[in-house]
Amino acid sequence: MPDIPLAVRPTHRRRWTGWGFVGPFLAVFAFALVAPIGYAIYLSLFREQLIGGNSFVWFDNYRQALADPQFWASVRRVAIFLAVQVPIMLILALLAALGLDSARLRWAPVYRLSIFLPYAVPAVVASLMWGFVYGAQFGLVSRLSGLLHVGLPYPLSGSWVLASIGNVVTWEFVGYNMLIFYAALRSVPGDLYEAAEIDGAGALRIARSIKLPALRPAMVVALVFSIIGSLQLFNEPNILHWLAPNTIPPNFTPNMYAYNLSFSGQEYNYSATIAVIMGVLTMLAAGGVQWYGRRRMA
């Protein structure tokens, strides 16, 4: 009688191969994201006292921030900026993407590259470039005003400074959002366009019935990125502040306020509190847009 091999008993030894692949990412993630956030929360619970040094104050810094008029003034500015600049930027990016996808433009790659090129310019360099355009004494606007003998408004005046910063940000990020929309349009199956043409649909009907519905997920992504970028506005007003210190105060945006509290006022604990509050507000705003967009697409 042949020998019957004994059944191999299953081993429940845990395999660590997957953790070996994920481990480097988790280490970098913990060091670059989790640790700074944890340390900022830790700092926000302390306050530097004249007597006694750095003492634990629980949530007193948060109560002070929530009653700080300078902080809420900066939040109000970025909220207005978000409500006006982001729709304009996304509409321009959408029109550019639809134009490139229409296949009616000659040299479409040249247009695509030229629209995207400003995104490759660092924000500091872009702010300096536009600062030379906006300058009161040497700027292009002031020179045109003198040559044409027309009283053009000063771009960095109190009434126009937010629109001028919005112009810089729009110039920088229209191309980035255009590529998001254009990539979504290129993924639409060609059969849908052929069926629409057979049914006699024109270009506007195709755009309204096929292209715009296909762009909804990309619109949610672009809107989330734009909201996060607007609430984190820092580089552009911080560079232009040196040209117009009277109209761009140190608390012009929440990030500028936190930066100046920390590096100019040495108020590290209160600065960390402002940063934590803005992080929570940004997370709630981005999460709310994602939830609403997912609900509309369901």
Side-chain angles (χ1 to χ4, degrees):
M1 173 177 263
D3 295 336
I4 300 175
L6 296 176
V8 180
R9 301 177 65 179
T11 61
H12 298 283
R13 185 178 61 183
R14 178 173 293 180
R15 296 182 177 274
W16 295 96
T17 307
W19 289 106
F21 284 105
V22 179
F25 164 76
L26 292 179
V28 174
F29 180 79
F31 178 77
L33 185 67
V34 177
I37 292 176
Y39 187 59
I41 296 173
Y42 169 79
L43 285 177
S44 68
L45 301 177
F46 289 81
R47 180 182 296 169
E48 189 72 26
Q49 307 283 2
L50 293 177
I51 301 176
N54 205 24
S55 59
F56 185 71
V57 294
W58 288 97
F59 301 105
D60 287 354
N61 289 329
Y62 290 93
R63 284 191 285 267
Q64 179 184 349
L66 295 177
D68 188 351
Q70 295 189 68
F71 170 65
W72 288 113
S74 64
V75 173
R76 195 179 308 113
R77 289 190 194 96
V78 295
I80 296 172
F81 181 87
L82 190 155
V84 176
Q85 184 269 337
V86 170
I88 293 174
M89 177 181 64
L90 294 183
I91 289 173
L92 292 175
L94 176 62
L95 293 176
L98 290 174
L100 291 173
D101 190 65
S102 66
R104 298 188 179 185
L105 291 176
R106 297 182 63 185
W107 307 307
V110 176
Y111 290 110
R112 184 168 63 245
L113 179 62
S114 61
I115 296 173
F116 179 77
L117 191 60
Y119 178 71
V121 179
V124 174
V125 177
S127 302
L128 289 172
M129 290 169 53
W130 282 97
F132 287 118
V133 175
Y134 294 154
Q137 298 180 355
F138 53 81
L140 178 63
V141 174
S142 63
R143 289 181 177 274
L144 287 177
S145 180
L147 290 174
L148 301 176
H149 302 287
V150 177
L152 296 177
Y154 177 43
L156 297 181
S157 62
S159 303
W160 290 92
V161 62
L162 204 58
S164 300
I165 295 173
N167 177 61
V168 178
V169 176
T170 300
W171 180 80
E172 290 179 284
F173 289 98
V174 161
Y176 175 77
N177 292 290
M178 179 267 297
L179 278 189
I180 294 177
F181 295 151
Y182 184 69
L185 289 173
R186 299 302 294 175
S187 64
V188 177
D191 298 342
L192 293 178
Y193 295 130
E194 294 177 3
E197 290 177 358
I198 292 173
D199 291 339
L204 292 177
R205 182 61 183 273
I206 291 175
R208 186 174 66 251
S209 302
I210 298 178
K211 293 184 177 183
L212 291 181
L215 283 173
R216 286 175 183 170
M219 287 181 179
V220 173
V221 172
L223 183 58
V224 169
F225 288 166
S226 300
I227 289 174
I228 295 173
S230 297
L231 295 178
Q232 293 179 346
L233 186 65
F234 176 77
N235 284 321
E236 292 80 7
N238 193 52
I239 296 297
L240 295 175
H241 162 74
W242 301 104
L243 293 177
N246 295 326
T247 55
I248 304 180
N251 67 317
F252 190 79
T253 68
N255 276 4
M256 281 186 65
Y257 190 35
Y259 176 84
N260 287 291
L261 282 172
S262 180
F263 293 98
S264 298
Q266 306 298 314
E267 298 183 42
Y268 304 113
N269 304 107
Y270 191 50
S271 173
T273 305
I274 298 295
V276 171
I277 293 176
M278 286 307 301
V280 172
L281 291 178
T282 303
M283 181 182 64
L284 291 176
V289 171
Q290 284 185 309
W291 173 81
Y292 181 75
R294 195 179 302 115
R295 185 179 178 185
R296 288 294 301 269
M297 289 183 292

